[in-house]
Amino acid sequence: MTLNSIAKELNLDCNSDINITGLNTLKDASNCEISFLENKKYLSDLKDTKAGAVFITEEFKNELPSNTIALITEHPYLSLAGLSKLFAPKVVETAGKKAVIGQNSTVMENVSIGKNTIIGNDVTLMSGAFIGDNITIGNNTIIYPNVTIYRDCTIGDDCIIHAGTVIGSDGFGFAHTKDGKYIKIYQNGNVTIGNDVEIGSNTSIDRAAFKSTIIEDGVRIDNLVHIAHNCVIGRGSIITGQCGFAGSSVLKEYVIMGAQSGVAGHLEIAPFTTISAKSGVTKSIKEPKKQWAGFPLMEHRTWLKLQGKINRLLTKDSK
Amino acid sequence: MTLNSIAKELNLDCNSDINITGLNTLKDASNCEISFLENKKYLSDLKDTKAGAVFITEEFKNELPSNTIALITEHPYLSLAGLSKLFAPKVVETAGKKAVIGQNSTVMENVSIGKNTIIGNDVTLMSGAFIGDNITIGNNTIIYPNVTIYRDCTIGDDCIIHAGTVIGSDGFGFAHTKDGKYIKIYQNGNVTIGNDVEIGSNTSIDRAAFKSTIIEDGVRIDNLVHIAHNCVIGRGSIITGQCGFAGSSVLKEYVIMGAQSGVAGHLEIAPFTTISAKSGVTKSIKEPKKQWAGFPLMEHRTWLKLQGKINRLLTKDSK
Amino acid sequence: MTLNSIAKELNLDCNSDINITGLNTLKDASNCEISFLENKKYLSDLKDTKAGAVFITEEFKNELPSNTIALITEHPYLSLAGLSKLFAPKVVETAGKKAVIGQNSTVMENVSIGKNTIIGNDVTLMSGAFIGDNITIGNNTIIYPNVTIYRDCTIGDDCIIHAGTVIGSDGFGFAHTKDGKYIKIYQNGNVTIGNDVEIGSNTSIDRAAFKSTIIEDGVRIDNLVHIAHNCVIGRGSIITGQCGFAGSSVLKEYVIMGAQSGVAGHLEIAPFTTISAKSGVTKSIKEPKKQWAGFPLMEHRTWLKLQGKINRLLTKDSK
């Protein structure tokens, strides 16, 4: 799609016929992609962006690198929402190649498999599983009943995905209009799951807005876990029951999350970190191999000290 | 069904042949409906009730309005449970009209659609979706795979319901017998979802005991959210991942609920309220546009102050 | 399988041809089963074990009862993982008897029923339900759409299981290798559900590693609840929305769990205990009929006192 035709669709001024293939963050966009600046705190990313064009307000247009085109808009994030719709793939492909199923794989009754999908060898797809369009599943993977895998996702070798789990549902993203309407940011990315990953039942892993939500090799995820768009769950991490992750949070390798704990958005958690049950992580954790607890989060030993103080407070009072 | 025949079924005394069409709360019951008084705190509702008849203990029968019939029972809530069963619709309709599917709508393989159901135009029903009896779905709505919509629910135009989500499962209601058995309150209401609503994956929205659980226009609900029977989620509200709502709670318009927060039953939350992540709302919030946090709940700025105090407490100790 | 052949598969030394039928805990193993000692705190169980053989390190082999064979291994839990795989049943049975469906039962379209499964009378199996191999379902039970019941589970009479719920997914169990790989403990047990049990939508109940995860008669479970392997939910207990239970926790009869509360692993909770919403139970509760709250857990009245103190702390500060 040319930049001109996109601008026309979104009622913006532009005079360039460069070819645009999608949208992305300021950091990750290539010169064929459009990005956006909504929030001042990303101004530092703006200077270094390689994006072909950027949705930007009049105020900041001079901060753009010389070879990036300004698409002036009062509401960059709303323009992005409009753009995301232009690049959204079909919900269901009507054309395309019939799925390829590898050797010695079992497809039970009532399984749906989309177009252009490739299933490896020795795979088991159980009844009620939905495998969308343009999906790759590696060898020796088991998909239990009533699992849903949305289009474009990839799953590695030797994975087990338990019943009712959803891979690739839309991330929770929308722009606000002045009159209180929400305009969907179409989630045009996917989920990529590495090798030797086991995921429990009724867990939800959302697809990325751009690029991928990533579950690295060897990860273990329990039941009823919520992983939002663009998260990265690092190699060998253990995510226990009912944990939740807001958007774009990154766990490095071998992080352990206790049950019912949560992680706010856009954070990074150092390798070999342990988060106690029911904790809430609201800041990035930079030092590896430590244990944390509570909400707001503190070192686990500090949390223990706090509980001791609370106990003394209660005892003192009863005298 | 006549009141006489109902009383006979439940082993109660009565001498009236008025026609009864269902059951309802004291506040909402019409003169064709039966209500109940189990808890003294609803005595004020009793005086103004328009119910045709009320299950009530001997003690309070004189508090009834003159044109409401007393159905004297030792255990009003147990009698209600018995009544709810008499009015429960069939789990699966065997008779009725074949569903009507609008123009340009897509029904993928392995979709089940019940009797008397009406699907709008440009709707997509993906594989494994279950659309029960007597359901209405508006135009341009997408139902992703393995979604279950129980009988009698209505869904508006331009909605998106992600995979694995359940709309209209039974609310969690039962009466206790003296010997420790639970008698089901059949959930004879439904769920009504407005226009332009998006609901994430693996979310559960229970049907009402009477009338409707309501999701108003423009609401956005994330993954793994639990909404109990008879809740109202106000227009434009944003419900993030893993939130939970107990029965009959009412959110006014544009409430924002942080992740993993919860709301106790029978509360009301004022418009434009923001609830921080992991909070627990245990009292109604009357003043609009404020931010709250913690459990028990306090104003967000108070919660921040509390964290400051806790920090100082910990620092003091380490000296 | 002979002990010799098992030892050979796992590269251990052994010289006995006794027949082994499975694996179990030190407490529960019979003389046809193999158990393991990984953690010193189970040394007391070791002395009394009736296991035919035990995976054990050199250090503790002399603690074994005389009629139990030592299988010396550096990593007992890893050996157990290897053993669990040897006894894991097939994911999908290809041979076996066609399911038997009782009188007056309804099986809707798109239902899958496995081999050797027995369905009672007056049962309703709704569309998209998956009923695996070797399952027993009692009379008058309703299985709502898109429920998944894994192989070998049993469900009693008069049960209701709501849409999207998963019964019998694998417990979250694995042994660690030195180089950071996780080796699955195959979950060869099952879930057994008593009579008159109602389970909400999108709940997950994991199968046991050995023996059974047990839901006793009369239990009520709400939506989005997580019950890990080998838990026991006692008769008449009420589990509200979004509660979570770690492995091997035992609730005695008539326990009430408030919404979003959690229970750590290997605990026991006394009869008629009430746990407030959002609490975290980290120690066993021995005295019955008490109410508890908070995380860490304290008596509910103590928790109320604590909130009073916090309020005073905040008021004092603002002067």
Side-chain angles (χ1 to χ4, degrees):
Chain A
M1 225 171 168
T2 67
L3 189 54
N4 271 335
S5 60
I6 289 169
K8 200 173 166 193
E9 285 279 351
L10 304 177
N11 286 317
L12 302 177
D13 285 331
C14 176
N15 190 6
S16 158
D17 60 356
I18 64 168
N19 190 44
I20 295 296
T21 59
L23 50 162
N24 214 327
T25 59
L26 288 168
K27 261 191 180 161
D28 291 323
S30 76
N31 63 2
C32 305
E33 292 176 313
I34 300 178
S35 191
F36 70 105
L37 180 81
E38 174 80 17
N39 188 326
K40 273 187 199 179
K41 77 175 175 186
Y42 294 103
L43 263 175
S44 60
D45 289 349
L46 188 69
K47 291 170 198 161
D48 300 326
T49 192
K50 296 193 172 70
V54 170
F55 296 123
I56 197 164
T57 54
E58 191 70 41
E59 182 185 2
F60 295 111
K61 72 175 180 188
N62 295 327
E63 311 278 336
L64 270 175
S66 57
N67 42 6
T68 296
I69 297 165
L71 294 165
I72 306 295
T73 164
E74 270 186 85
H75 305 291
Y77 204 52
L78 271 172
S79 297
L80 184 82
L83 178 66
S84 73
K85 187 169 185 180
L86 297 179
F87 282 98
K90 284 186 182 172
V91 173
V92 185
E93 290 291 352
T94 47
K97 283 185 206 159
K98 193 166 176 281
V100 177
I101 314 286
Q103 291 184 334
N104 203 27
S105 288
T106 302
V107 178
M108 291 179 76
E109 53 183 346
N110 304 325
V111 169
S112 294
I113 308 181
K115 306 290 188 191
N116 304 322
T117 281
I118 298 169
I119 310 289
N121 302 326
D122 302 299
V123 167
T124 305
L125 303 180
M126 293 182 73
S127 299
F130 176 87
I131 315 293
D133 302 306
N134 198 33
I135 283 171
T136 306
I137 295 179
N139 299 323
N140 202 32
T141 281
I142 303 173
I143 309 291
Y144 275 96
N146 294 320
V147 164
T148 300
I149 303 176
Y150 282 59
R151 60 168 305 150
D152 304 325
C153 295
T154 71
I155 295 174
D157 297 336
D158 303 311
C159 291
I160 301 174
I161 301 184
H162 284 285
T165 280
V166 176
I167 309 290
S169 43
D170 283 353
F172 200 58
F174 36 85
H176 302 225
T177 66
K178 275 185 182 169
D179 57 345
K181 236 177 140 339
Y182 304 128
I183 309 300
K184 183 175 178 72
I185 310 286
Y186 282 79
Q187 305 288 304
N188 300 337
N190 75 345
V191 178
T192 72
I193 294 177
N195 300 320
D196 182 29
V197 169
E198 183 163 354
I199 301 175
S201 54
N202 284 330
T203 275
S204 291
I205 303 178
D206 282 350
R207 70 196 302 106
F210 334 110
K211 301 175 75 183
S212 297
T213 303
I214 298 171
I215 313 295
E216 294 185 353
D217 292 352
V219 165
R220 295 290 181 271
I221 298 174
D222 203 349
N223 303 335
L224 292 160
V225 168
H226 163 59
I227 299 178
H229 49 184
N230 293 82
C231 283
V232 178
I233 307 295
R235 182 167 51 90
S237 289
I238 295 175
I239 314 297
T240 62
Q242 298 177 318
C243 285
F245 299 83
S248 300
S249 278
V250 175
L251 272 60
K252 295 296 192 176
E253 67 271 22
Y254 291 101
V255 170
I256 298 175
M257 298 287 306
Q260 299 183 334
S261 60
V263 177
H266 297 269
L267 306 182
E268 190 171 303
I269 297 184
F272 296 95
T273 294
T274 298
I275 305 293
S276 301
K278 283 189 170 286
S279 305
V281 184
T282 49
K283 290 187 181 170
S284 287
I285 296 173
K286 290 177 183 168
E287 206 180 332
K289 299 189 183 176
K290 287 193 137 177
Q291 186 174 358
W292 303 80
F295 180 62
L297 202 73
M298 55 191 85
E299 278 198 58
H300 185 249
R301 58 184 183 181
T302 309
W303 187 83
L304 290 175
K305 196 164 77 174
L306 178 61
Q307 304 318 319
K309 280 183 170 291
I310 287 171
N311 277 340
R312 283 196 294 281
L313 196 72
L314 285 164
T315 320
K316 201 171 63 183
D317 186 63
S318 58
K319 276 175 192 167
Chain B
M1 222 170 172
T2 67
L3 189 54
N4 271 335
S5 60
I6 289 168
K8 200 173 164 192
E9 285 276 352
L10 304 176
N11 287 317
L12 302 177
D13 285 331
C14 176
N15 190 7
S16 158
D17 61 355
I18 63 168
N19 190 45
I20 295 297
T21 59
L23 51 161
N24 213 327
T25 59
L26 288 169
K27 262 192 180 161
D28 291 324
S30 76
N31 62 3
C32 305
E33 291 177 313
I34 300 178
S35 191
F36 70 106
L37 179 80
E38 173 81 15
N39 188 326
K40 274 188 200 179
K41 76 174 178 189
Y42 294 104
L43 263 175
S44 59
D45 289 349
L46 188 69
K47 291 169 198 163
D48 300 326
T49 192
K50 297 192 173 68
V54 169
F55 295 123
I56 197 165
T57 53
E58 191 70 40
E59 181 185 2
F60 295 112
K61 73 174 179 187
N62 294 326
E63 311 277 338
L64 269 176
S66 59
N67 43 7
T68 296
I69 295 165
L71 294 165
I72 306 296
T73 164
E74 270 186 85
H75 304 291
Y77 204 53
L78 272 172
S79 297
L80 185 83
L83 179 66
S84 73
K85 188 170 183 178
L86 296 179
F87 282 98
K90 285 186 182 170
V91 172
V92 185
E93 290 291 353
T94 47
K97 283 184 206 157
K98 193 166 175 277
V100 177
I101 313 285
Q103 292 182 334
N104 203 27
S105 288
T106 302
V107 179
M108 291 180 75
E109 56 183 344
N110 303 327
V111 170
S112 294
I113 308 181
K115 306 289 186 191
N116 304 319
T117 281
I118 298 170
I119 309 289
N121 303 326
D122 303 298
V123 167
T124 305
L125 303 179
M126 293 182 73
S127 299
F130 175 87
I131 316 293
D133 302 306
N134 197 34
I135 282 171
T136 306
I137 295 179
N139 299 323
N140 202 32
T141 281
I142 303 172
I143 309 290
Y144 275 96
N146 293 322
V147 163
T148 299
I149 304 176
Y150 281 59
R151 58 169 305 150
D152 304 325
C153 295
T154 71
I155 295 174
D157 298 336
D158 304 310
C159 292
I160 301 173
I161 301 184
H162 284 284
T165 281
V166 177
I167 310 290
S169 42
D170 284 352
F172 200 59
F174 35 85
H176 303 224
T177 66
K178 276 184 181 169
D179 57 345
K181 234 176 142 335
Y182 303 128
I183 309 300
K184 183 175 177 72
I185 309 285
Y186 282 79
Q187 305 287 305
N188 300 336
N190 74 346
V191 177
T192 71
I193 294 177
N195 301 320
D196 182 29
V197 169
E198 183 162 354
I199 301 174
S201 55
N202 284 331
T203 275
S204 291
I205 304 178
D206 281 350
R207 69 196 305 105
F210 334 109
K211 300 176 75 183
S212 297
T213 302
I214 298 172
I215 312 295
E216 293 186 354
D217 292 351
V219 166
R220 295 291 181 272
I221 298 173
D222 203 348
N223 303 335
L224 294 161
V225 169
H226 163 59
I227 299 178
H229 50 184
N230 292 81
C231 283
V232 179
I233 307 295
R235 181 167 52 90
S237 289
I238 295 174
I239 314 297
T240 62
Q242 297 178 318
C243 284
F245 299 84
S248 300
S249 278
V250 174
L251 271 60
K252 297 295 192 177
E253 68 269 22
Y254 291 101
V255 171
I256 298 175
M257 298 286 305
Q260 299 184 335
S261 60
V263 177
H266 298 269
L267 305 182
E268 191 172 302
I269 297 184
F272 296 95
T273 295
T274 297
I275 305 293
S276 301
K278 283 189 170 285
S279 305
V281 184
T282 49
K283 290 186 181 171
S284 286
I285 296 173
K286 289 173 184 171
E287 206 180 332
K289 299 188 183 176
K290 287 192 134 175
Q291 186 174 0
W292 302 81
F295 179 62
L297 202 72
M298 56 192 85
E299 278 198 56
H300 187 249
R301 58 184 181 180
T302 309
W303 186 83
L304 290 175
K305 197 163 78 174
L306 177 62
Q307 304 319 320
K309 280 183 170 291
I310 288 171
N311 277 339
R312 283 197 295 281
L313 196 72
L314 285 165
T315 320
K316 202 171 64 182
D317 187 64
S318 57
K319 276 173 192 168
Chain C
M1 223 170 170
T2 66
L3 189 55
N4 271 335
S5 60
I6 289 169
K8 199 173 166 195
E9 285 278 350
L10 303 177
N11 287 317
L12 302 177
D13 285 331
C14 176
N15 190 6
S16 158
D17 61 357
I18 63 168
N19 190 44
I20 295 296
T21 60
L23 50 161
N24 213 327
T25 59
L26 287 169
K27 262 193 180 160
D28 292 323
S30 76
N31 63 3
C32 304
E33 292 176 315
I34 299 178
S35 192
F36 71 106
L37 179 81
E38 174 79 15
N39 189 325
K40 272 187 199 180
K41 77 175 175 186
Y42 294 104
L43 263 175
S44 60
D45 290 349
L46 188 69
K47 291 169 196 162
D48 301 325
T49 192
K50 297 192 172 67
V54 170
F55 295 124
I56 197 164
T57 53
E58 190 71 40
E59 182 185 2
F60 296 111
K61 72 175 180 187
N62 295 326
E63 311 278 336
L64 269 176
S66 59
N67 44 7
T68 296
I69 296 164
L71 294 165
I72 305 298
T73 164
E74 270 186 85
H75 305 289
Y77 204 53
L78 271 172
S79 296
L80 185 81
L83 178 65
S84 73
K85 187 169 184 179
L86 296 179
F87 281 98
K90 282 186 184 173
V91 173
V92 185
E93 290 291 354
T94 47
K97 284 184 206 158
K98 194 165 175 282
V100 177
I101 314 286
Q103 291 183 335
N104 203 27
S105 287
T106 302
V107 178
M108 291 180 76
E109 56 184 344
N110 304 327
V111 170
S112 294
I113 307 180
K115 305 290 187 192
N116 303 321
T117 281
I118 298 170
I119 310 289
N121 303 326
D122 302 298
V123 167
T124 305
L125 303 179
M126 294 182 73
S127 300
F130 175 88
I131 316 293
D133 301 306
N134 197 34
I135 282 171
T136 306
I137 295 180
N139 299 322
N140 202 32
T141 281
I142 302 173
I143 308 290
Y144 275 95
N146 294 322
V147 163
T148 300
I149 303 176
Y150 282 58
R151 60 168 304 151
D152 303 325
C153 295
T154 72
I155 295 173
D157 298 335
D158 303 310
C159 291
I160 301 174
I161 301 184
H162 284 285
T165 281
V166 176
I167 309 290
S169 42
D170 283 353
F172 199 60
F174 35 85
H176 302 226
T177 67
K178 275 185 183 168
D179 57 345
K181 237 177 138 339
Y182 304 128
I183 309 300
K184 184 175 177 70
I185 310 285
Y186 283 78
Q187 306 287 304
N188 300 337
N190 75 345
V191 178
T192 72
I193 294 177
N195 300 320
D196 181 30
V197 169
E198 184 163 353
I199 301 175
S201 54
N202 284 332
T203 276
S204 292
I205 303 178
D206 281 350
R207 70 195 304 105
F210 334 110
K211 301 175 74 184
S212 296
T213 302
I214 298 172
I215 313 295
E216 294 186 353
D217 293 351
V219 165
R220 296 292 181 269
I221 298 174
D222 203 347
N223 304 335
L224 293 161
V225 169
H226 163 58
I227 299 178
H229 50 184
N230 291 82
C231 283
V232 179
I233 308 295
R235 182 167 51 89
S237 289
I238 295 175
I239 314 297
T240 63
Q242 297 176 319
C243 285
F245 299 84
S248 300
S249 278
V250 175
L251 271 60
K252 295 296 190 176
E253 66 270 22
Y254 291 101
V255 171
I256 298 175
M257 298 286 307
Q260 299 183 336
S261 59
V263 177
H266 298 270
L267 305 182
E268 190 172 302
I269 298 184
F272 297 94
T273 294
T274 297
I275 304 293
S276 301
K278 283 189 170 286
S279 306
V281 184
T282 49
K283 289 186 181 172
S284 286
I285 296 173
K286 291 180 182 164
E287 207 180 332
K289 299 188 183 176
K290 287 194 136 175
Q291 187 174 357
W292 303 80
F295 180 63
L297 201 73
M298 55 191 85
E299 278 198 59
H300 186 249
R301 57 183 183 181
T302 309
W303 186 82
L304 290 175
K305 197 163 80 174
L306 177 61
Q307 303 318 320
K309 279 182 171 293
I310 287 171
N311 277 340
R312 283 197 294 283
L313 196 71
L314 285 165
T315 320
K316 203 171 64 183
D317 186 65
S318 56
K319 277 174 191 168

